[in-house]
Amino acid sequence: MRTTPNIHIENREIEGERLELTDREAIYWLGPNITLRHCTVVLGVGGRQLVPMWGRFIDCTITAKREIVNEWFTSMRFEGCRFTGRFSGVGFGQRAGVDMWWEHGGIENCDFSEARLDECSFHGCDMRTIRLPKWPCFTIVDPIRHGRELMSVPWPGDFTPVFLEGEHRDREDTAAVTIYAPAEAKRSGATLEEFKAAVERFDFIVR
């Protein structure tokens, strides 16, 4: 019976290297206590095969070789990094008091302009330092603060731009949420044209 390899990247500083996390038979542990500078990190696994603990990524390129789904990178700190590839249901930034090692999380001066983000959230960060993907992605900035305005108008299909109450209420530290419009149109039973017209109503939605 084959034993699943556990690959630990921990307690070290790495500079200028290419790290390929692509073995689908392995489990990759990122951290604790890692610092990567000017590295290229290729993510070819997700789910239980990728375990982000805590560390810093400085001036790195993070490439999703396969779609990264439902991961929380909110105990990692990203500074000056560039992201490419597809990310769905992924969280970035810092969720104070929520995640183990939350105090190590954060994101600033990062570039997502060449990434595809869908239902991805940013927490506890300054979105003015983040380059976001353009349409057909759209980003609702500071959804809680703009909640009443967002909910005062109809939206295509059954899309809800923000949850202001109940168990699914958006966290106060949610700085932004990015949606991939073609995927949301399919989920909501609407058209891409309807979504484009809807998001163009608000100057705080980046598109």
Side-chain angles (χ1 to χ4, degrees), residues 91-116:
F92 301 94
Q94 185 185 81
R95 299 191 301 170
V98 175
D99 307 293
M100 186 178 293
W101 308 299
W102 64 265
E103 65 273 16
H104 298 285
I107 188 166
E108 61 180 325
N109 299 319
C110 287
D111 184 356
F112 290 86
S113 62
E114 297 180 38
R116 195 194 84 177

Side-chain angles (χ1 to χ4, degrees), residues 135 138 155 194-203 205 207:
W135 182 262
F138 64 91
W155 286 86
E194 288 174 319
F195 267 101
K196 193 170 192 300
V199 302
E200 286 177 343
R201 296 174 295 185
F202 301 99
D203 59 8
I205 296 183
R207 57 195 182 278

Side-chain angles (χ1 to χ4, degrees), residues 76-159:
M76 294 286 182
R77 183 165 188 84
F78 298 96
E79 303 170 28
C81 294
R82 183 172 71 96
F83 291 78
T84 65
R86 297 181 298 162
F87 299 82
S88 297
V90 176
F92 301 94
Q94 185 185 81
R95 299 191 301 170
V98 175
D99 307 293
M100 186 178 293
W101 308 299
W102 64 265
E103 65 273 16
H104 298 285
I107 188 166
E108 61 180 325
N109 299 319
C110 287
D111 184 356
F112 290 86
S113 62
E114 297 180 38
R116 195 194 84 177
L117 306 183
D118 185 34
E119 296 187 317
C120 291
S121 57
F122 295 85
H123 300 268
C125 60
D126 184 350
M127 292 304 297
R128 293 172 297 182
T129 75
I130 308 296
R131 287 190 65 191
L132 293 163
K134 301 298 185 184
W135 182 262
C137 289
F138 64 91
T139 302
I140 303 172
V141 178
D142 206 349
I144 289 289
R145 184 163 68 87
H146 296 295
R148 294 189 181 279
E149 188 176 354
L150 288 165
M151 297 302 291
S152 69
V153 297
W155 286 86
D158 59 6
F159 176 66

Side-chain angles (χ1 to χ4, degrees), residues 24-76:
R24 298 193 181 186
E25 300 298 323
I27 298 175
Y28 292 92
W29 300 78
L30 292 178
N33 190 30
I34 57 170
T35 299
L36 276 62
R37 301 177 189 270
H38 305 287
C39 290
T40 296
V41 182
V42 180
L43 301 177
V45 298
R48 284 180 289 183
Q49 289 181 270
L50 182 63
V51 185
M53 299 182 78
W54 64 269
R56 296 176 68 194
F57 293 75
I58 303 169
D59 298 324
C60 293
T61 296
I62 317 295
T63 298
K65 188 174 181 179
R66 55 164 283 184
E67 185 171 12
I68 303 301
V69 180
N70 297 335
E71 292 283 358
W72 289 102
F73 290 115
T74 44
S75 60
M76 294 286 182

